Amino acid sequence: MKVKLLVRNPDDYLRETKRDIHKVPRNYDPALHPLETPREYTRALNAVKLEKVFALPFIGSLDGHRDGLTCLGKHPDHLSWLYSGACDGELKLWDVAKRKIVYTVQAHDGFIRAMSFSQETSSLYTVGDDKLIKQWKAEELYGSDLKAPINTIVARGMLTGITHHRSKPVMATCGEACNLWEHSRAQPIKTFQWGVDSLQSIKFNQVEENIIAACGSDRSIILYDMRESVPVRKVVLKMRSNALCWNPMEAFIFTVANEDYNLYTFDMRNFANPINMHKDHVSAVVDVDYSPTGKEFVSASYDKTIRLYNSRQAHSRDIYHTSRMQRLTCAAWSLDDRYVYSGSDEMNIRIWKARAAEKLGVVKPREKTAVRVNAKLVEKFAHHPAIKRIHRHRHVPGHVYNSRNELRNSMIAARRKEFNVRTHTKRQLPIIPEKAKVIVSEQ
């Protein structure tokens, strides 16, 4: 026995409050809406224009260092805490929400080269030019023991990088070689060498936790497995890589920042070719950091700009710069996926929005829906000339614009030269008959 009922949900036609708009049922039959596409195109055009109007990515700067920045560190449990190390060995903890310094300590003699956080011990580890590995307690912020490290390890050589295992009490440092350390020992438990003078950046994989990647001074990228006694793989690029970062969501993917103005994304299962080459910088790229979603990353370059990339696209989706910002030395993406931090050699840390037109205040549900609808409309009409021109436009500094044109011209000339060499053809003047020569000369 079948029973058919008419069901009317009051939520479909009743207002929540008397000030709310009246809900009207809509028929989605396309035959009844012949002007739907023109209306959507107009909304998409207005949305992409408003996105440019509200694109104000710069939030503020943190001023307090007396020398250039060298590295930034994020606390995994406190989103508003940011660690920064400087060239004079000064370590600072910032409360980004209040934009103030929580504490300052003279951590090392000379540069602070790198820092890494241990979730197991809630400690921060730093390395510097004084050949020391120092452990700092990161929980009791306002205690009396913050001015001194809780542990210090003396290394044999100068260290340039440090990274900590995600779950085990093991950390790796790089310098003259790759060394593995345990918290309870003052000597490395394992040393990896592969004919490299020095290593300048090292990172543990966050998914495959036993894999380590490092950048060498001989233009190489080396993979290590902490369970093995020898390195695993090695690839040599045309120029040196300055920094490396693993994708936090894809186990085998990592990106390196190179001296040839590009970033290269590799799959560690196949080192023959990079899976993507990210362009647009006009000077050496010095640092790279992934967003917690793994879909985007930020790069800092010596051309005084930072760029935001989609991990699967070759060109940047946005560029951030200011007139006072000088050479970039480090960059970091916040763990809530909303902000980007950059450090430069004029002693300032700058805070940027990860999405330039995003609203930072309270967003109501209807406003969220409107933002999502506008984003989908812009994506739908992204290939229309008017919308494409507005959506792709970015204001860049004059020196970046001129350098980009010079690089483009040099690339075109190199391709033309390579084509002529491959085909072995030379341009020859056409053979003109005698009568034709006379006619040409008379004209």
Side-chain angles (χ1 to χ4, degrees):
M1 179 179 178
K2 290 185 178 180
V3 178
K4 294 184 178 180
L5 299 176
L6 292 177
V7 179
R8 293 185 175 87
N9 188 359
D11 294 337
D12 295 337
Y13 53 87
L14 291 181
R15 295 183 295 171
E16 294 182 1
T17 63
K18 63 179 182 181
R19 295 186 179 182
D20 199 0
I21 60 174
H22 286 275
K23 296 182 179 181
V24 180
R26 179 183 174 188
N27 192 335
Y28 288 92
D29 184 4
L32 301 178
H33 303 279
L35 300 178
E36 183 177 15
T37 300
R39 286 199 298 266
E40 288 184 346
Y41 175 79
T42 303
R43 287 187 62 185
L45 187 61
N46 292 336
V48 75
K49 288 179 180 178
L50 289 175
E51 184 180 354
K52 294 300 178 183
V53 171
F54 295 116
L56 302 172
F58 181 69
I59 298 177
S61 64
L62 305 177
D63 186 10
H65 277 288
R66 295 172 295 180
D67 208 338
L69 275 297
T70 57
C71 56
L72 295 174
K74 298 171 289 185
H75 196 293
D77 298 327
H78 299 270
L79 292 176
S80 61
W81 289 1
L82 180 69
Y83 295 92
S84 62
C87 297
D88 58 357
E90 199 173 52
L91 175 66
K92 288 182 181 291
L93 172 60
W94 304 84
D95 189 336
V96 179
K98 299 178 181 178
R99 300 190 196 179
K100 69 175 186 178
I101 301 173
V102 178
Y103 75 87
T104 303
V105 60
Q106 186 65 33
H108 292 271
D109 295 331
F111 284 37
I112 298 179
R113 291 294 178 179
M115 61 180 67
S116 181
F117 196 88
S118 169
Q119 287 184 308
E120 182 193 11
T121 59
S122 298
S123 301
L124 181 75
Y125 292 86
T126 60
V127 295
D129 287 351
D130 52 4
K131 304 179 183 179
L132 298 178
I133 305 173
K134 293 190 177 183
Q135 179 184 1
W136 310 86
K137 196 64 178 176
E139 282 298 324
E140 299 176 1
L141 282 179
Y142 303 100
S144 59
D145 58 344
L146 294 174
K147 298 302 180 182
I150 61 176
N151 189 20
T152 301
I153 301 174
V154 181
R156 293 181 180 179
M158 192 178 72
L159 303 175
T160 56
I162 187 171
T163 181
H164 200 281
H165 195 278
R166 187 170 185 176
S167 58
K168 296 181 181 179
V170 177
M171 55 186 173
T173 60
C174 66
E176 298 177 356
C178 175
N179 295 321
L180 288 180
W181 307 77
E182 278 191 353
H183 294 174
S184 59
R185 297 189 181 184
Q187 297 295 329
I189 59 175
K190 194 175 292 187
T191 299
F192 297 102
Q193 288 184 336
W194 198 343
V196 182
D197 293 336
S198 63
L199 303 169
Q200 59 262 14
S201 179
I202 189 168
K203 289 290 174 64
F204 261 109
N205 193 329
Q206 297 298 303
V207 183
E208 293 290 337
E209 299 179 350
N210 296 311
I211 303 298
I212 313 170
C215 300
S217 60
D218 62 345
R219 303 175 286 115
S220 64
I221 303 168
I222 307 173
L223 287 183
Y224 306 95
D225 191 331
M226 61 178 289
R227 299 165 294 187
E228 302 289 337
S229 58
V230 293
V232 180
R233 292 181 184 176
K234 181 178 181 180
V235 62
V236 179
L237 304 180
K238 289 185 178 180
M239 297 189 73
R240 194 185 76 169
S241 298
N242 292 317
L244 178 144
C245 188
W246 289 94
N247 191 319
M249 292 297 174
E250 299 182 20
F252 308 106
I253 307 299
F254 66 91
T255 301
V256 294
N258 202 269
E259 288 276 349
D260 65 354
Y261 312 167
N262 299 322
L263 298 104
Y264 297 92
T265 298
F266 283 93
D267 190 329
M268 73 176 185
R269 297 167 294 185
N270 182 14
F271 258 13
N273 293 301
I275 60 176
N276 208 340
M277 182 175 70
H278 309 277
K279 306 177 181 179
D280 286 344
H281 278 296
V282 296
S283 190
V285 189
V286 296
D287 200 9
V288 59
D289 189 31
Y290 265 94
S291 69
T293 62
K295 297 180 180 180
E296 296 175 311
F297 61 85
V298 59
S299 64
S301 173
Y302 212 61
D303 61 6
K304 306 179 185 179
T305 64
I306 62 174
R307 289 183 180 267
L308 306 178
Y309 289 87
N310 187 314
S311 60
R312 302 191 182 276
Q313 294 180 359
H315 294 278
S316 61
R317 70 165 176 85
D318 218 333
I319 176 175
Y320 294 163
H321 58 91
T322 65
S323 58
R324 295 184 180 182
M325 187 165 66
Q326 297 301 311
R327 312 291 187 184
L328 272 299
T329 56
C330 51
W333 201 302
S334 68
L335 294 177
D336 61 350
D337 195 33
R338 298 192 66 186
Y339 306 101
V340 171
Y341 308 116
S342 66
S344 50
D345 58 7
E346 92 287 349
M347 304 173 286
N348 281 333
I349 302 172
R350 288 178 172 82
I351 310 170
W352 313 81
K353 290 191 286 187
R355 283 156 286 277
E358 183 181 15
K359 183 179 177 181
L360 295 181
V362 178
V363 182
K364 296 182 179 180
R366 286 181 58 191
E367 191 174 357
K368 284 184 180 179
T369 304
V371 169
R372 287 197 296 266
V373 170
N374 289 339
K376 284 294 182 182
L377 290 177
V378 172
E379 182 181 353
K380 178 179 178 180
F381 295 95
H383 299 288
H384 285 245
I387 295 179
K388 182 178 180 181
R389 179 182 60 83
I390 300 172
H391 188 61
R392 292 184 59 188
H393 174 75
R394 296 292 185 275
H395 175 74
V396 298
H399 69 278
V400 174
Y401 182 81
N402 296 331
S403 300
R404 186 176 58 187
N405 291 337
E406 291 179 4
L407 288 173
R408 185 182 293 115
N409 294 335
S410 63
M411 290 175 60
I412 293 173
R415 289 175 184 173
R416 186 186 298 117
K417 182 178 179 181
E418 183 181 359
F419 176 78
N420 292 336
V421 171
R422 284 182 178 179
T423 56
H424 299 285
T425 57
K426 297 182 179 179
R427 295 184 179 180
Q428 298 179 355
L429 294 174
I431 300 176
I432 304 175
E434 293 294 330
K435 292 184 179 180
K437 285 183 180 179
V438 175
I439 293 174
V440 170
S441 63
E442 287 178 353
Q443 290 180 353

